[in-house]
Amino acid sequence: MAQVPVAEGIFTWPSDEPQLIGSRCTACQIVTFPAQASCPRCPSTEMAEHLLARRGRLWAWTTQGFPPPSPPYSGPTGEAFAAFGVGFVELGGEVKVEARLTVADPDALTQGMEMELVLVPFRTHDGKGDGAGDQGDEVMTFAFRPVG
C-alpha cells in the first residue's frame, strides 16, 4: 500500500520532517495558511510560498466527537469513527493554524504547550476518482502532537 497526501500543496511531501506550505505577502509580510493568491490584509497579489515552522504552541482546542458533514468529510463514520482533538496552533509567532491533534482528551492538553507537526493516516482511498491515488492507498493528512 502506498501513502499519498490528502491534497497537493498543503505540506511538503514526501518528507521526514514535513512542513506546512503557507504564503507570505511581499508587501505587508502577513503569513497565511493555506497558501493564498492574494493578501487578506492589503490589496497586494504578490504572495510568496512560505514554509511554516514545524513546532508551535497550542492556543485553543476542543474534541470532535462526531463525524463532520459529508461532503466534504470523507473519513470513517459509524462505529469506525473515533473522536479526535482539534486545535489552533500558533507557529513561529506568524500564524495560527487550525488542525487535528493527535490527542483527543482535552484534559491532557494545556494552553501554551509545545506542539509538533506530524503526518497521520486519514483514510484508505476508495478508488472513486477523487485524485488522491489508487484504490487501497493510505491517504495522509497533517496533525499536531504534544512535544515531550
Side-chain angles (χ1 to χ4, degrees), residues 15 17 21 33 35 39 42-43 47-49 57-58 64 73 78 85 88 98 106 122 128 144 146:
S15 178
E17 294 191 0
I21 302 170
F33 178 80
C39 183
C42 75
M47 302 292 284
E49 183 177 289
R57 299 280 174 192
L58 185 60
Q64 177 76 30
Y73 179 73
F88 285 94
E98 181 180 11
F122 174 57
K128 291 184 179 176
F144 285 90

Side-chain angles (χ1 to χ4, degrees), residues 14-90:
S15 178
D16 290 335
E17 294 191 0
Q19 288 180 268
L20 296 176
I21 302 170
S23 55
R24 179 186 296 274
C25 175
T26 59
C28 73
Q29 303 303 307
I30 191 171
V31 173
T32 62
F33 178 80
Q36 297 183 20
S38 62
C39 183
R41 181 189 289 166
C42 75
S44 178
T45 57
E46 299 296 320
M47 302 292 284
E49 183 177 289
H50 180 72
L51 296 179
L52 303 179
R54 294 191 69 243
R55 288 187 174 195
R57 299 280 174 192
L58 185 60
W59 191 72
W61 64 95
T62 191
T63 300
Q64 177 76 30
F66 53 90
S70 178
Y73 179 73
S74 61
T77 60
E79 290 184 17
F81 177 80
F84 57 90
V86 178
F88 285 94
V89 178
E90 185 173 23

